[in-house]
């Protein structure tokens, strides 16, 4: 899943110094590679990285030998400098062998500072046998060695004079030169500032005055010192932006002591103690940034939501000589800036809790860590059971915290890998959690430093291999992402991988490979959810290319998942293996947005105006966006479409917008004029969409009724989204209109793209176009797989409120009829899974024969249509029931036309009316103008069974009906009855008299 790209190898840089000592052949006689010889040089010289600088240079120490007076010489410690691709340069040779834990060099390459540690020698140890693993074991056993840290400053020119700072402590200390923004090309400054940090004691600045002597700069006089803060229990130095993060203990101030000044709180900070819910102190993270001339700015102070256990006797990992923070094994913590320097304002604090046994009955032996997402003002806590290999190991298992793009990477090689999505664009969800098949370091490395490495690419995380003294940038292997998606059965993991590919990698090709895999496994239970996630994420990624304002992007839907939701992740075996919980960091927004620095200023430590700091401004902006309006809800559009009646093709009634305004016709003259002008201006200002016009898919037949529904839906989306943008963003009305149209087009584009991807993945070369396949042909295995994916697609677009391409409803219903049993198909139709368009029902009537089963299916389908469509299809069907039904409706219309004259039949003989009633043999027809015309020709429409027209009851009835037909106004009849006549009614009556309604089904009732 990971790609480890080497960016630094200490062994290759040391080869020129020991080339004569390293053989080019191995014991078996084979040729040794450059890497193998480099690793041999690292082991031979005991070389290690001891510091890095802002300009990318690396400080290295190794063991060398000096010859004096012709003697064999003695072992000494050498310190060198690596700059870019230049060879290793020797800076200073210490006169004795010592263990250097950190070093720094000033920007003008005049001064070098380093810190060494010595340890009291025991009978079983050598003077320098200070391995961190042995030391940790002794600390656990209760026997901690005695250490002494000392710091020195060296004048590199002319003779390498060594100056001791005369500060000896048993706790860790560090020195770091502060760089100016002028770069190496500028003349060396004669004022050099060095940061000096004593763990759990103080943070101060040394100011060295330099003077030029014999064309070199040397120290002039005693340095000026200034103490900035006291008692940091933890600290981390960021080389990229010269920023110091440190944690100190702040007392709980009650109401009686609320008038304490801020300067008084520093003096109240306690030494190492245990912090819990009942403690009188709580941890506070202070962020300070340093600039030219030793100036600094306290960017912010944040109260941390987790409890820190500060041991009285810290154990330092002496092998972590290159790390940015205090290497306390019992306090594994890191401050991470996500997205690199390009995306300021994203800051996370990760902390590993003290491991071991817990009171949790679910996870009795758990590994727990916390991440404070400052730009979201949320605290996230993850807990997982310890694996058997970790439970047997007594040494604390150190997690690696690193920034990998927008993710917080939590890594233990070969054991676990968590990628926590903490992007500034959206809330925390879709975390990628791996507990099995975790990648290991290159060359089977298992010892990894628990502190992040500053990679060459700011947006890429890094890992430092302590065993090999090599650094690697970490990137995500895209092909292995597709493999992980295909092999895993964990639903949350697949959703996280798809989200990573679309939102963070922005790789549509990789996402399409994942969709193709879903097509090969259509029975997957999470298929619908993944398709919906694809639609939302792909549309969001496309809109992001438009370079819209961040306030607009915050309004676009991005996922179906709820951010900051407490849940438990399950593994392949169904067991709960990771529990994630969130809590709001109350008061953080007020702390950051309303932050004001300490007004007191020391002469050496000026305070910069805080409003100019990019980190603070970025955090304030992101926190304001977090409390903004909710994202646009597309489900409300879908609900409105399903609950409201479908628009008629001839419907011209204006609709009311979401804002509640009345139609334009009901407004006053001036308001109508203003509305008309605004509409014209908006239409003229509307730019063309950036998407290419999406042609109709070749396997779909465009239907007019579906086009009407699509236009209606598009209008609703544009109106609702435009109103949402206008209400919650600062964009103009014209800009809101453009964005709304663009997003509606984007929805349709990606809906067609996804459906086409499903079709091309499952289509067989022998499978013809759907319109060319008869509905009577049963579907094969590939058709059933295609139907299942089409069903997932239909459910996905409904769940996220996306449109369906024109013709999909007919395609989906036809595929379902061929793949499902009739009863199942009718159940789908009853639940509105199939919309049953008119053209599809026409194909059902036309292509299915009239077996009892098919006739029953046709009747059930017709029962779900509108009245006008039922009549039209009954006539096209030609079924005997259609003739009966049409005759009933025609007679009803004739009898309701002129009831007074039609029903007074007795008056014909009583009042002597001369109106003649034609006999049953006469035929009524209709002229072009709609009037009735009766002739004396004999009716030619007899039944197929040979029943004549001389049946007396029918003849008498038809005489009365034809008399009523004389007054029938043809133009007032429904369109489907205008071509009907009493002759056809008579035929239907004779047919019913003979067959006793054998052709009709008692359970089929058509709408009246």
């Amino acid at each position: 899943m990971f790609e480890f790209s080497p960016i630094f190898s200490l062994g290759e840089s040391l080869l020129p110094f020991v080339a004569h000592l390293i053989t080019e052949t191995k014991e078996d006689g084979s040729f040794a590679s450059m890497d193998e010889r480099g690793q041999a040089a690292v082991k031979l010289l005991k070389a290690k990285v001891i510091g890095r600088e802002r300009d990318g240079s690396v400080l290295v120490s190794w063991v060398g030998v000096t010859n004096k007076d012709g003697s064999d010489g003695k072992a000494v410690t050498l310190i060198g400098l690596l700059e870019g691709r230049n060879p290793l340069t020797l800076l200073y040779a210490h006169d004795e062998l010592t263990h250097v834990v950190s070093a720094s060099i000033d920007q003008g390459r005049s001064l070098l500072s380093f810190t060494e540690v010595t340890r009291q020698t025991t009978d079983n140890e050598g003077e320098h046998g200070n391995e961190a693993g042995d030391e940790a074991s002794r600390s656990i056993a209760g026997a901690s060695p005695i250490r002494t840290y000392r710091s020195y400053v060296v004048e590199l020119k002319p003779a390498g004079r060594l100056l001791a700072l005369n500060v000896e402590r048993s706790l860790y200390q560090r020195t770091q030169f502060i760089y100016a923004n002028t770069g190496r090309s500028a003349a060396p400054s004669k004022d050099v500032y060095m940061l000096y940090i004593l763990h759990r004691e103080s943070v101060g600045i040394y100011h060295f005055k330099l003077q030029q002597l014999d064309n070199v700069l040397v120290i002039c006089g005693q340095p000026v010192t200034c103490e900035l803060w006291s008692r940091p229990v933890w600290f981390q130095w960021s080389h990229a932006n010269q920023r110091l993060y440190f944690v100190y203990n702040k007392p709980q101030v009650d109401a009686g002591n609320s008038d304490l000044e801020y300067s008084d709180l520093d003096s109240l900070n306690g030494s190492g103690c245990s912090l819990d819910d009942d403690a009188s102190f709580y941890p506070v993270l202070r962020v300070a940034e340093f600039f030219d001339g030793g100036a600094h700015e306290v960017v912010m102070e944040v109260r941390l939501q987790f409890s820190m256990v500060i041991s009285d006797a810290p154990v330092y990992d002496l092998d972590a000589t290159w790390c940015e923070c205090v290497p306390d094994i019992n306090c594994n913590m890191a401050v991470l800036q996500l997205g690199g320097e390009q995306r300021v304002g994203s800051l996370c604090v990760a902390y590993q809790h003290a491991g071991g046994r817990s009171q949790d009955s679910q996870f009795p032996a758990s590994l727990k860590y916390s991440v404070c997402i400052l730009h979201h003002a949320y605290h996230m806590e993850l807990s997982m059971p310890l694996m058997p290999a970790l439970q047997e190991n007594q040494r604390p298992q150190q997690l690696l915290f690193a920034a990998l793009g927008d993710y917080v990477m939590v890594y233990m090689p070969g054991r676990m890998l968590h990628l926590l999505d903490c992007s500034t664009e959206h809330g925390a969800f879709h975390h990628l959690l791996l507990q099995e098949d975790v990648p290991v370091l290159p060359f089977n490395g298992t010892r990894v430093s628990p502190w992040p490495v500053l990679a060459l690419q700011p947006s890429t995380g890094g890992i430092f291999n302590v065993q090999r003294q090599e650094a690697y940038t970490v990137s995500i292997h895209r092909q292995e992402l597709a493999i992980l998606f295909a092999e895993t059965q964990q639903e949350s993991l697949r959703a996280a991988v798809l989200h990573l590919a679309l939102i963070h990698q922005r790789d549509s090709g990789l996402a399409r490979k994942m969709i193709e895999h879903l097509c090969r496994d259509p029975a997957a239970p999470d298929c619908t959810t993944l398709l919906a996630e694809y639609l939302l994420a792909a549309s969001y990624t496309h809109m992001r290319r438009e370079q819209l304002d961040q306030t607009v992007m915050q309004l676009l839907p991005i996922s179906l998942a709820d951010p900051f939701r407490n849940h438990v992740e399950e593994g392949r075996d169904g067991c709960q293996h990771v529990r994630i919980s969130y809590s709001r960091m109350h008061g953080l927004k007020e702390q950051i947005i309303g932050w004001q620095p300490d007004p007191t200023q020391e002469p050496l430590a000026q305070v910069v105006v805080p409003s100019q700091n990019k980190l603070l401004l970025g955090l304030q902006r992101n926190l304001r966006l977090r409390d903004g309006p909710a994202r646009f809800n597309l489900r409300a559009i879908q609900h409105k479409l399903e609950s409201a009646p479908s628009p008629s093709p001839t419907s011209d009634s204006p609709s009311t917008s979401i804002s509640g305004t009345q139609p334009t016709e009901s407004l006053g003259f001036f308001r109508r004029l203003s509305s008309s002008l605004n509409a014209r201006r908006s239409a003229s200002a509307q730019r063309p969409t950036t998407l290419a016009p999406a042609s109709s898919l070749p396997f779909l037949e465009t239907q007019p009724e579906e086009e009407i529904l699509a236009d209606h839906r598009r209008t609703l989306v544009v109106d609702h989204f435009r109103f949402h943008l206008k209400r919650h963003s600062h964009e103009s009305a014209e800009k809101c209109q453009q964005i709304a149209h663009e997003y509606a087009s984007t929805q349709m584009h990606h809906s067609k793209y996804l459906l086409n991807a499903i079709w091309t993945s499952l289509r067989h070369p022998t499978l013809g176009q759907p319109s060319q396949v008869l509905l009577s042909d049963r579907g094969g295995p590939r058709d059933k797989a295609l139907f299942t994916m089409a069903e997932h697609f239909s459910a996905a677009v409904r769940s996220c409120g996306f449109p369906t391409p024109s013709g999909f409803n007919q395609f989906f219903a036809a595929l379902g009829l061929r793949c499902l049993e009739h009863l199942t198909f009718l159940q789908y139709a009853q639940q509105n899974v199939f919309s049953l368009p008119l053209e599809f029902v026409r194909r059902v009537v036309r292509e299915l024969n009239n077996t009892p089963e098919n006739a029953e299916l046709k009747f059930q389908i017709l029962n779900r249509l509108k009245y006008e469509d039922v009549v039209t299809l009954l006539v096209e069907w030609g079924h005997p029931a259609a003739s009966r039904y049409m005759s009933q409706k025609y007679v009803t219309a004739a009898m309701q036309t002129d009831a007074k004259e039609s029903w007074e039949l007795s008056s014909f003989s009583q009042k002597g009316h001369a109106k003649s009633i034609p006999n049953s043999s006469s035929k009524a027809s209709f002229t072009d103008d709609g009037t009735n015309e009766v002739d004396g020709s004999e009716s030619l429409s007899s039944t197929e069974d040979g029943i004549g027209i001389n049946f007396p009851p029918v003849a008498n009835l038809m005489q009365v009906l034809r008399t009523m037909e004389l007054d029938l106004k043809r133009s007032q009849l429904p369109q489907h009855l205008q071509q009907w006549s009493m002759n056809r009614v008579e035929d239907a009556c004779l047919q019913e008299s003979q067959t006793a309604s054998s052709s009709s089904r008692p359970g089929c009732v058509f709408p009246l």
Side-chain angles (χ1 to χ4, degrees), residues 864-998:
R864 290 170 171 81
L865 299 183
K866 295 185 296 184
Y867 168 75
E868 296 82 1
D869 297 336
V870 171
V871 173
T872 302
L873 293 174
L874 279 175
V875 175
E876 294 181 6
W877 185 3
H879 194 274
S883 177
R884 184 192 67 165
Y885 179 74
M886 292 293 294
S887 298
Q888 290 176 351
K889 301 304 296 184
Y890 187 76
V891 170
T892 301
M895 296 179 67
Q896 291 178 352
T897 302
D898 193 356
K900 181 178 180 179
E901 184 178 357
S902 300
W903 290 106
E904 292 180 350
L905 299 179
S906 60
S907 61
F908 290 152
S909 58
Q910 295 176 1
K911 297 183 180 181
H913 284 214
K915 181 176 290 188
S916 62
I917 301 177
N919 55 25
S920 60
S921 62
S922 61
K923 180 179 179 180
S925 60
F926 301 92
T927 60
D928 295 338
D929 56 358
T931 58
N932 293 353
E933 180 177 334
V934 182
D935 56 18
S937 60
E938 188 172 338
S939 174
L940 300 177
S941 64
S942 59
T943 61
E944 297 177 359
D945 298 326
I947 302 299
I949 59 173
N950 294 322
F951 186 57
V954 175
N956 295 334
L957 175 62
M958 293 308 300
Q959 284 183 345
V960 176
L961 293 178
R962 283 194 173 91
T963 303
M964 297 179 181
E965 189 181 22
L966 295 176
D967 298 325
L968 185 62
K969 296 181 180 179
R970 176 65 53 175
S971 59
Q972 297 179 356
L973 292 178
Q975 184 178 4
H976 61 275
L977 294 178
Q978 292 181 4
Q979 302 300 325
W980 209 258
S981 65
M982 286 299 173
N983 291 345
R984 304 179 70 174
V985 172
E986 184 178 7
D987 293 340
C989 292
L990 294 174
Q991 179 73 13
E992 290 297 319
S993 300
Q994 180 193 26
T995 61
S997 302
S998 61

Side-chain angles (χ1 to χ4, degrees), residues 782-799:
R782 189 172 292 269
D783 294 317
K784 294 180 179 179
L786 181 60
F787 167 74
T788 305
M789 288 304 301
E791 182 181 2
H792 287 309
F793 173 80
S794 177
V797 295
R798 291 188 180 187
S799 63

